[in-house]
Amino acid sequence: MFVGHYAVALAAKRAAPKTSLGVLVVAAQFADLLWPIFLLFGWERVEIVQGNTAFNDLSFTHYPFTHSLAMLVLWAVAFGLVYKVATGYMRGALIVAGLVVSHWILDLVVHVPDLPLVPGGGPMLGLGLWNNVIATVVVESLLLLAGLWIYLRTSPPGPGMKTVAFWLLIAFIVVVGNMHGTPPDTKALAWGALIGWILPVWAWWADSGRKAADRA
Ligand SMILES: [Zn+2]
């Protein structure tokens, strides 16, 4: 899943209005932000398999550190603690920790059974929505619409440029989330996936105007 993770980050703004959308995005996408780094270090592996699912050609053969439920719970505790110490905002800390774990639950819906519960063994889980392209697009689009609706009701639009930046960000997420095509190799895939790190910065900037509008 891609778009859906941003949808829950948007929706989480209502639960933790003082937390930047940038931080909420990092939390919801924490697993996928670490993943390309771990791939490049060789700690995790992915294979390109034509038609592995209808939606993409990726076979996630080994990603226990970024995508097992147990590790995401640990990452969530660490993320929440760091956020609490840095900001003192307990509500935000609980929400960002929840978002880190939400990644696994949303991925569970779309992945074919390749998500580990714990690193190093046990059953691999996945409900396989990616086997149906239309169902995947419909579910992700509905999540995004719900997330946008909640976010926009929580904070009124900020100054002009930031509103433009916000909608460009949403458009970018929709385009990337629905991109098809086979990556040339796993190295290129990992380097490409590092682009994900731009999105939290983009989200932080677009959202910062909205927070100002909230205070006014
Ligand atoms: Zn993921």
Side-chain angles (χ1 to χ4, degrees):
M1 181 164 293
F2 183 79
V3 175
H5 297 302
Y6 294 93
V8 293
L10 287 165
K13 185 77 178 175
R14 187 188 192 103
K18 281 190 274 177
T19 302
S20 163
L21 183 63
V23 175
L24 298 172
V25 165
V26 172
Q29 275 289 62
F30 196 64
D32 283 1
L33 289 170
L34 288 188
W35 179 66
I37 298 168
F38 282 38
L39 284 180
L40 290 169
F41 277 111
W43 299 334
E44 297 196 334
R45 290 186 301 278
V46 64
E47 284 170 27
I48 295 164
V49 178
Q50 290 279 351
N52 189 61
T53 71
F55 196 75
N56 62 42
D57 297 328
L58 304 180
S59 173
F60 300 93
T61 48
H62 184 70
Y63 55 173
F65 308 113
T66 63
H67 278 78
S68 68
L69 178 59
M71 281 304 296
L72 277 169
V73 169
L74 288 182
W75 288 121
V77 171
F79 199 120
L81 279 175
V82 169
Y83 186 81
K84 172 74 174 78
V85 169
T87 65
Y89 183 32
M90 189 61 192
R91 197 180 169 81
L94 292 173
I95 294 300
V96 295
L99 282 174
V100 173
V101 177
S102 81
H103 188 99
W104 193 88
I105 295 158
L106 289 177
D107 271 5
L108 180 71
V109 176
V110 293
H111 281 234
V112 290
D114 60 28
L115 285 163
L117 273 177
V118 291
M124 298 294 181
L125 304 176
L127 300 174
L129 193 68
W130 272 344
N131 286 321
N132 187 320
V133 173
I134 292 174
T136 301
V137 172
V138 167
V139 167
E140 297 226 57
S141 302
L142 289 176
L143 281 172
L144 182 62
L145 287 175
L148 274 173
W149 188 70
I150 294 167
Y151 176 82
L152 292 171
R153 273 169 51 102
T154 302
S155 42
M161 276 309 289
K162 297 198 175 184
T163 299
V164 172
F166 176 77
W167 287 108
L168 283 175
L169 172 69
I170 299 300
F172 184 84
I173 289 165
V174 169
V175 169
V176 170
N178 291 288
M179 243 165 28
H180 287 279
T182 313
D185 57 65
T186 53
K187 268 253 150 54
L189 171 69
W191 283 107
L194 284 175
I195 289 172
W197 281 95
I198 296 169
L199 299 186
V201 181
W202 192 343
W204 161 78
W205 191 75
D207 182 62
S208 59
R210 289 168 186 272
K211 278 194 295 187
D214 280 350
R215 279 193 296 270

